[in-house]
Amino acid sequence: MTQCDETARAVCPTRTRTGGRRLDASRDAAIASAVIEVLGRSGYAGLTMDAVAMVAGVGKATIYRRWSSKAELLLSVMDVAGAPVLQVPDTGKLREDLVTVLTEVVELFSGPSGRAIRSLLGAVIDDPVLQEGSRRLPLANWDAAWETVVARAVERGEIPAGAGQSLAGEVGPAVLALRWLVTGRPLDHTVVTDLVDRVVLPLLQRP
């Protein structure tokens, strides 16, 4: 068990300043969780040091000893608020691995982290620093999960080497994100399995 609690998805934020005092790591977890909660409830405009301090149950000075600005605070917990690491259990079959990972993506969109991501979209468009941070972490986590799934399938002989370099790796999360952000169409197990069976697998398995 790490020092960060389950709400923060067990990821400790990086402090950008420490001063001369030893800081309590348990407060880092509370602050990270508070960032997620405030973002989901009030959006980026409502993400203030005061609001985060109140939800975290700490003094504002506690936050400023760690981060000098709202942007620094947000970027330091972006991996918590924006893109928890996707777990990839080895099911023994490519199809089930894909369904498992894409189901995790749906659960991410539907939970506190998804609400936090949605609230950041407007600010990200206008802020190159936030844009880079939000783009880098989700892509890195998805790419890592995708590479794991594809490597296993190649080893099992289910797909040829190099198949994972096709557009299949982008199509899955792109379709889910479109439904989540734009169309409002359902996101459920049926959508995931249909996406895997009719789109992702055929792209991977074609000669």
Side-chain angles (χ1 to χ4, degrees):
M1 186 71 178
T2 68
Q3 292 173 315
C4 287
D5 62 13
E6 187 174 351
T7 306
R9 298 298 296 269
V11 181
C12 294
T14 302
R15 306 174 186 130
T16 56
R17 61 196 300 177
T18 58
R21 296 180 59 181
R22 184 175 181 179
L23 302 178
D24 183 353
S26 66
R27 291 188 175 183
D28 291 351
I31 292 168
S33 297
V35 169
I36 297 172
E37 180 177 335
V38 173
L39 272 175
R41 184 184 64 218
S42 305
Y44 184 67
L47 182 69
T48 65
M49 297 299 210
D50 285 329
V52 172
M54 181 176 296
V55 172
V58 302
K60 188 164 64 172
T62 298
I63 298 177
Y64 275 112
R65 281 198 296 268
R66 290 158 166 78
W67 303 280
S68 62
S69 69
K70 178 173 80 170
E72 285 188 358
L73 168 61
L74 181 56
L75 286 173
S76 73
V77 298
M78 189 76 79
D79 51 350
V80 179
V85 174
L86 296 171
Q87 302 301 316
V88 193
D90 189 350
T91 68
K93 294 184 178 180
L94 173 59
R95 181 185 182 276
E96 280 65 34
D97 280 356
L98 289 170
V99 169
T100 298
V101 176
L102 289 175
T103 298
E104 280 200 61
V105 173
V106 170
E107 291 173 352
L108 168 64
F109 286 163
S110 303
S113 294
R115 291 192 293 273
I117 295 170
R118 187 190 296 272
S119 70
L120 279 174
L121 292 177
V124 163
I125 292 172
D126 297 323
D127 189 319
V129 176
L130 293 179
Q131 189 177 74
E132 175 58 26
S134 65
R135 180 172 56 235
R136 172 175 46 84
L137 289 165
L139 285 178
N141 288 338
W142 167 254
D143 286 347
W146 175 257
E147 289 171 5
T148 298
V149 168
V150 169
R152 289 173 182 167
V154 170
E155 289 179 2
R156 291 192 294 257
E158 293 180 272
I159 57 175
Q165 298 173 3
S166 72
L167 289 175
E170 299 178 41
V171 169
V175 170
L176 298 180
L178 180 67
R179 283 176 171 256
W180 173 58
L181 290 172
V182 181
T183 68
R185 292 172 180 167
L187 276 179
D188 53 27
H189 184 70
T190 299
V191 172
V192 169
T193 54
D194 204 29
L195 181 59
V196 168
D197 290 338
R198 300 178 63 181
V199 180
V200 181
L201 276 177
L203 283 173
L204 285 173
Q205 294 172 338
R206 68 180 184 181

